[in-house]
Amino acid sequence: MSQLHEENQVLQVGIEEKLSFGANLTYGFQHLLALTGIFLFPVLIGQAMKLEAGTIGYMIQACFLTTGLVTILQSGKMLKLPVVQGPTAAFFVAVLSAGTSVGLGTAFGSMAVAGVIFMLLTIPIRKFGLIGHVNRFISPPIVYGTLLIIIGAQLANIGLKNWFGSANEGINFAAAGVTVICVLVLMIVGGNTLLRRGALLWGIVIGTVFYSIFGTANFSAVGSAGWFSLPSIFPFGFGVSIPVVILMLLAFLQASAEAVGMYTLLTKWGGQKMDSERVNRGLFGEFLGCTIGAVFGGLGTTSYPENIGIVRVSGIGSRYVTMTAGVMAIILGLIPKVGLFIASLPGPVLSAASTVLFGIIAVSGIQMVSKVVWDELNLVVAGSSFIISLGTMYLPTELTSKLPLAVQSIVTQPMLVGVVLLIGLNTVVNIWIRPVMEQRSGGVKTNTEVPTEVA
């Protein structure tokens, strides 16, 4: 059987097909299990900034609301694809960096401003949307694949060192070890079941049970939390910083590149057309939802490769399933007990789960760039971007200390430097210089990369 024919057989249930209510709930729940960023990123930000459990719990609620809103927009009239969106590492890094330097109010205020700017760049009216027309500059696998490797390497500094906590190091490390072992075992032997798709979540559950038995887990605050609450507008205050807006624009740019790759893959599986107008509609919906989410205090989102993998493995491509997942996420976001329960989970357990997640992010990037033909030009683009970006973590303190705090948060972040270098170098080298070199060599075309697949 040819590869093309196999690709056309990916979806057993088409994008526009409707399932029963029970099936929508079941398959929608599968997608929610893969949204690990909702459980991990807000807690890690809260731990780094020493926020109270109630504040962290609210941020988790806001992330559920943002996820649900964007997912409904994408599955509905905006994109009409089975896309599930969740908090992304790009915004996690950006909010963590800005929050520690200028405060969460300025971080989320600047994110909202950046979201409005990107919405204006993707107005889905005829040919007004700009981003859809510059897709080839931001979406090649060499760009967002290398960027994921950079992000994974940057985040390596967060996970492992927090396995031990500040007290009871033995119990903390043991609980972290149990969590990682459970996650790895479920990922290896879980097959195409809920055990593998929710491996990180199940690992957190088992690690928390272990910690509760041998340690001192405390969930007393959950009992006093309410069952329903509406989100607040700019709950951490409001501020705007131009350097932080730039930081958030770069995070949106990274999310755009990843999202467009997922859009293209889904339309190919579903036998649908993906033109610049549809790309603009999808990105406009994403930016609209993220902007509203930022107003409520939620992290920006992008299309999760894990959810695309669920679509491929299950063959269920109905956008009504992912729309159901979005509705479920919004419901969870309106229940304070859910957010506070997640915020009360043992820190070493969540750090252990995040370590695995960050490794998956890096290896996903490796999987993407494995499709690239590594000639000298592509080595220049990826190699220099990779090493310079990671090198920014080691800039001399006497140099960075002279810069404004908001500027420091940009130039010392590998992800942000990486997205600029990768897009810039790939544009110059592969889009401008390569065609000239091919003409001079007698019109012999050199392939730079082949389509990316999700395992």
Side-chain angles (χ1 to χ4, degrees):
M1 183 180 292
S2 67
Q3 182 181 2
L4 179 60
H5 182 65
E6 290 176 354
E7 289 173 352
N8 290 336
Q9 296 300 314
V10 166
L11 300 184
Q12 299 174 12
V13 175
I15 292 174
E16 296 297 330
E17 292 186 48
K18 296 182 179 180
L19 301 176
S20 67
F21 177 74
N24 282 335
L25 287 178
T26 301
Y27 292 118
F29 180 68
Q30 289 187 82
H31 283 285
L32 286 184
L33 291 179
L35 297 175
T36 48
I38 293 180
F39 307 101
L40 295 178
F41 292 152
V43 175
L44 294 175
I45 291 173
Q47 290 176 346
M49 298 183 64
K50 302 186 184 307
L51 302 176
E52 296 180 352
T55 303
I56 300 173
Y58 174 85
M59 194 182 302
I60 293 169
Q61 285 183 256
C63 285
F64 270 111
L65 289 170
T66 306
T67 289
L69 177 61
V70 181
T71 298
I72 290 172
L73 288 172
Q74 300 296 62
S75 302
K77 295 298 183 181
M78 297 305 300
L79 184 63
K80 295 184 178 181
L81 284 177
V83 168
V84 178
Q85 305 241 176
T88 176
F91 284 104
F92 164 64
V93 173
V95 170
L96 178 60
S97 175
T100 53
S101 60
V102 296
L104 287 177
T106 300
F108 285 109
S110 300
M111 185 193 298
V113 171
V116 171
I117 292 173
F118 264 84
M119 285 170 59
L120 295 175
L121 294 175
T122 54
I123 296 176
I125 301 176
R126 297 181 181 178
K127 299 185 181 298
F128 286 105
L130 176 63
I131 298 296
H133 296 289
V134 298
N135 175 36
R136 66 187 182 123
F137 296 96
I138 66 175
S139 64
I142 192 173
V143 173
Y144 61 87
T146 306
L147 187 60
L148 286 180
I149 299 174
I150 292 171
I151 291 174
Q154 178 181 356
L155 294 178
N157 186 47
I158 296 177
L160 187 61
K161 69 178 183 181
N162 294 320
W163 286 28
F164 302 92
S166 58
N168 300 320
E169 288 86 353
I171 296 299
N172 291 340
F173 182 76
V178 168
T179 302
V180 169
I181 291 172
C182 289
V183 172
L184 297 180
V185 168
L186 291 175
M187 291 179 68
I188 293 171
V189 304
N192 295 327
T193 67
L194 287 176
L195 293 178
R196 183 177 69 82
R197 294 165 195 158
L200 279 172
L201 177 59
W202 305 132
I204 292 172
V205 170
I206 295 173
T208 300
V209 171
F210 179 91
Y211 194 90
S212 299
I213 295 174
F214 298 100
T216 55
N218 184 7
F219 295 96
S220 59
V222 179
S224 59
W227 282 103
F228 176 80
S229 71
L230 293 173
S232 302
I233 295 177
F234 290 114
F236 310 110
F238 177 77
V240 176
S241 166
I242 297 301
V244 179
V245 170
I246 296 173
L247 182 152
M248 295 300 171
L249 287 172
L250 295 175
F252 272 112
L253 195 60
Q254 187 276 335
S256 302
E258 189 170 353
V260 171
M262 298 301 104
Y263 300 168
T264 304
L265 200 57
L266 284 170
T267 50
K268 181 176 67 175
W269 290 348
Q272 295 188 355
K273 181 181 179 182
M274 174 55 68
D275 54 18
S276 60
E277 183 179 352
R278 191 173 190 180
V279 169
N280 282 323
R281 287 205 316 270
L283 292 178
F284 183 87
E286 178 173 333
F287 301 146
L288 172 62
C290 290
T291 301
I292 297 174
V295 171
F296 295 149
L299 296 177
T301 70
T302 191
S303 305
Y304 264 36
E306 293 89 342
N307 294 105
I308 307 300
I310 290 174
V311 170
R312 178 164 189 168
V313 170
S314 67
I316 307 297
S318 172
R319 62 187 178 94
Y320 298 98
V321 167
T322 53
M323 192 181 300
T324 303
V327 173
M328 295 167 68
I330 288 180
I331 293 173
L332 292 174
L334 297 174
I335 304 175
K337 285 183 181 293
V338 173
L340 198 56
F341 175 79
I342 296 173
S344 302
L345 294 173
V349 171
L350 292 174
S351 295
S354 69
T355 301
V356 178
L357 175 62
F358 299 156
I360 292 173
I361 290 172
V363 175
S364 296
I366 294 173
Q367 182 186 28
M368 292 178 185
V369 298
S370 68
K371 307 297 182 179
V372 177
V373 177
W374 289 107
D375 60 8
E376 289 80 1
L377 296 182
N378 282 329
L379 287 172
V380 167
V381 172
S384 56
S385 299
F386 176 79
I387 202 67
I388 292 173
S389 299
L390 292 183
T392 60
M393 291 192 295
Y394 308 102
L395 290 174
T397 304
E398 56 269 22
L399 172 63
T400 58
S401 61
K402 298 176 182 179
L403 301 172
L405 288 176
V407 176
Q408 289 183 38
S409 66
I410 295 177
V411 300
T412 59
Q413 294 299 323
M415 178 206 76
L416 303 173
V417 176
V419 70
V420 173
L421 287 176
L422 285 165
I423 293 176
L425 284 175
N426 185 65
T427 300
V428 172
V429 173
N430 278 326
I431 296 180
W432 295 347
I433 295 179
R434 185 181 292 274
V436 174
M437 294 179 64
E438 290 173 353
Q439 287 182 351
R440 291 180 178 178
S441 62
V444 178
K445 185 176 181 180
T446 56
N447 293 324
T448 60
E449 50 197 41
V450 294
T452 304
E453 290 289 349
V454 175

